[in-house]
Amino acid sequence: MAGTTPRPSTEASGWVAPKEIKLLSGGNPQIPKGDGDAPVQAYIAAMPDWKSDVGRRLDDLIVRTVPDVQKAVRWNSPWYGVEGEGWFLSVHVFARYVKATFLAGASLTPVPPGSGKDPDARWVDIHEDELDEEQMTEWVRQAAALPGWDGF
């Protein structure tokens, strides 16, 4: 399923959104690499259907929990981190859910349910009307306090 979204506003950092945002397979928005809130908000605005609401709720929850959170878009996904400590969370849209990946998720309590080849990363797949804000807030709080990933 592909589509486009109108161009969002830009940020003082110089990041400029494309004229239209293409949705890749599964509905994941194709957003140019950028640092700061503007590219993350452009991604969230372009998330299709109910997923945009989940994206806004996640972003608000993260900002409330980690007020000085750093934001960026890399690899068509929003990333959240702590300056000097690295990135602790990324978000990605799939056809039926929004995936929130904690880079050091194996160190969280309780450990998020999703796992793969990376022995440290864990994730949670969020389906429509299934965002557990209390649990997500606790995971974000814990993840932001851990050393993060500094791979870009």
Side-chain angles (χ1 to χ4, degrees), residues 12-110:
S13 69
W15 183 85
V16 177
K19 290 182 182 179
E20 292 184 338
I21 297 172
K22 179 180 177 184
L23 297 180
L24 302 172
S25 65
N28 192 52
Q30 185 177 28
I31 301 293
K33 174 182 170 179
D35 295 322
D37 190 54
V40 171
Q41 295 308 316
Y43 181 96
I44 291 168
M47 293 168 78
D49 307 319
W50 58 267
K51 296 170 192 124
S52 186
D53 181 56
V54 168
R56 277 190 299 280
R57 289 172 61 202
L58 277 172
D59 187 70
D60 289 346
L61 179 154
I62 294 163
V63 170
R64 278 193 318 268
T65 307
V66 187
D68 294 329
V69 69
Q70 303 292 301
K71 299 180 186 183
V73 169
R74 299 290 192 277
W75 306 288
N76 298 311
S77 296
W79 288 73
Y80 296 86
V82 175
E83 188 172 356
E85 296 297 323
W87 303 96
F88 64 86
L89 174 70
S90 70
V91 176
H92 196 84
V93 169
F94 288 88
R96 294 190 172 102
Y97 57 90
V98 175
K99 181 178 186 176
T101 301
F102 293 94
L103 288 299
S107 298
L108 304 180
T109 303

Side-chain angles (χ1 to χ4, degrees), residues 24 47 66 79 84 88 108 118 120-121 124-125 127 132-133 138 142:
L24 302 172
M47 293 168 78
V66 187
W79 288 73
F88 64 86
L108 304 180
D118 184 328
D120 299 319
V124 60
D125 296 337
H127 297 86
D132 181 343
E133 290 194 25
E138 182 57 24
Q142 291 177 45

